[in-house]
Structure formats: C-alpha cells, structure tokens
Amino acid sequence: MSRQIYLFSTSSHPKATCINSLNIRYLNPSIDFTKYDYLIITSKQAIKALEQYDKKDFIHLRALCVSAKTAMEYKSIGGSIVTAKEGYGDGLLEKIEEFSKETKWLYLRAQTVASNFAQVAKKNDYKIDEKILYVSECSEEILNLHVQKSATLIFTSPSSVECFLKTHTITSDLKVIVIGKTTAKSIPKNIEYQISEETSIESCIELALEV
C-alpha cells in the first residue's frame, strides 16, 4: 500500500495532498527604488508584494534571485535578473561578493527569514538595505491537520517545519523529505530525513515515490 504524501507548500502536485502552511499578510512600506542598483528576491511572495507599487519605479532593477523558479516569477512581470542561485544564503552571499562594495542592494524580504546572508554581507561592508514586504503566519490548515499513519511529509521551507511542529510530533513511522539544506536545519536532531536531489517539488515527489 502506497504512503499518503503531504506536501507543505504554496504550490500543488497531483500526487500529493497539498497543505498551505502559511497565511501571507502583505505590507506596503515606502520605498525609494531610485537609491538602488539591484534587488535581492528570495520568494515569490516578495514579487507578489511588488504588485502594490508602480511597476515603472522598480522593473528596470535587475534581481538576484534565490532560485530559478523565483527568477521566472520576476521575469513573468517583466523584470530581468542578475542570476538565480540555488542553496539560499551561501549562494546569494557568494554572488554579492562578486560585486563592488559600493553596489547598492535592496533586499525584499519576509518579517522572519531563515538565512542571515544579508547581515553577514553588511558586516563585510556591502551596502544592503532591507524592506519587510510581508508577514507569514501559520495557517489553520496545517495546525489542525490530521496526518495518516506511515505517511510521507515533504517540507519546502523552514516555516513549514516550524508550523507543523507547533501542533504535531514527527513519529518514527513517518518519512520526512526536505527540499534543501536550509529547510533541513529546522528538522529536530533526533528525526531522520532525506534531502531531495534538486531544490524542486518534483524532485521531492520523485524521492517520496521511491518507497
């Protein structure tokens, strides 16, 4: 008998039960885009939040994106990218360090973030301003979820792990798959897990179906 697969993500997949872990509340801080050379974008929610602003004010700014998927989202609204880096914090920091320390970056972020790459870069005298564009809150859907025994749990962000653990325990009969190393850091140390070969939902699903 195949395992029930729970996918904790804002995206869906036909072979999994998709659970949206977070409710997103968008903010609208004042931003003077003329002060910056590039944007740093680490989520599609940040791109969604940009829709609150006049596109002509920011669309000329190329973006350093956390992944190919985020880059595609920015391109879909007419933007262009510096590059898309996999691996989250480490990859973004490495790319920022390729630029002059006089380069002015604007990091569009959530209230709570998993990586401290911006703080590390700023300590090394890189010019990065941060604007909080949205707040993520655990959804009732994940908090009240009834998980079947011997299921597979796919976590696609640190926040999805944290929200799940607010009202659930990861028991030994559950198989845990995470989308990358940053998400893996949120898994309790006594819990076994597997990391998908690629940082994509499809790769996670492929790993889940191997059981």
Side-chain angles (χ1 to χ4, degrees), residues 46 67-68 72 75 87 98 113 126 143-144 173 176 187 195 201:
S67 67
M72 286 178 62
K75 287 179 180 179
E98 293 177 9
V113 292
Y126 288 91
L143 295 176
N144 298 328
D173 65 304
V176 177
I187 301 294
I195 300 179
I201 288 173

Side-chain angles (χ1 to χ4, degrees), residues 38-140:
Y38 300 100
L39 303 177
I40 300 172
I41 302 176
T42 59
S43 72
K44 64 181 181 182
Q45 286 80 18
I47 297 168
K48 180 72 174 176
L50 277 174
E51 294 178 7
Q52 301 173 103
Y53 300 88
D54 192 331
K55 186 185 288 188
K56 68 178 175 58
D57 290 340
F58 68 83
I59 204 64
H60 63 285
L61 294 172
R62 295 167 65 197
L64 172 57
C65 296
V66 72
S67 67
K69 187 171 182 180
T70 305
M72 286 178 62
E73 291 282 344
Y74 190 54
K75 287 179 180 179
S76 74
I77 65 169
S80 58
I81 64 167
V82 177
T83 191
K85 298 296 292 185
E86 302 294 344
Y88 201 39
D90 292 343
L92 293 175
L93 184 58
E94 288 172 6
K95 189 62 184 180
I96 290 167
E97 290 173 343
E98 293 177 9
F99 287 77
S100 162
K101 289 187 176 181
E102 297 307 308
T103 303
K104 296 177 181 177
W105 301 87
L106 175 59
Y107 176 22
L108 305 175
R109 47 162 283 201
Q111 183 179 59
T112 303
V113 292
S115 173
N116 67 343
F117 76 89
Q119 283 66 43
V120 173
K122 285 192 282 188
K123 285 182 180 178
N124 291 328
D125 298 323
Y126 288 91
K127 299 182 186 300
I128 301 178
D129 285 346
E130 303 178 52
K131 287 290 184 177
I132 298 174
L133 294 191
Y134 62 98
V135 177
S136 301
E137 301 165 328
C138 296
S139 69
E140 293 297 318

Side-chain angles (χ1 to χ4, degrees), residues 8 142 147 153 155 160-168 170:
F8 299 101
I142 192 170
V147 177
L153 311 178
F155 294 106
S160 64
V161 179
E162 291 160 11
C163 287
F164 182 83
L165 291 175
K166 281 182 180 292
T167 51
H168 300 82
I170 301 178

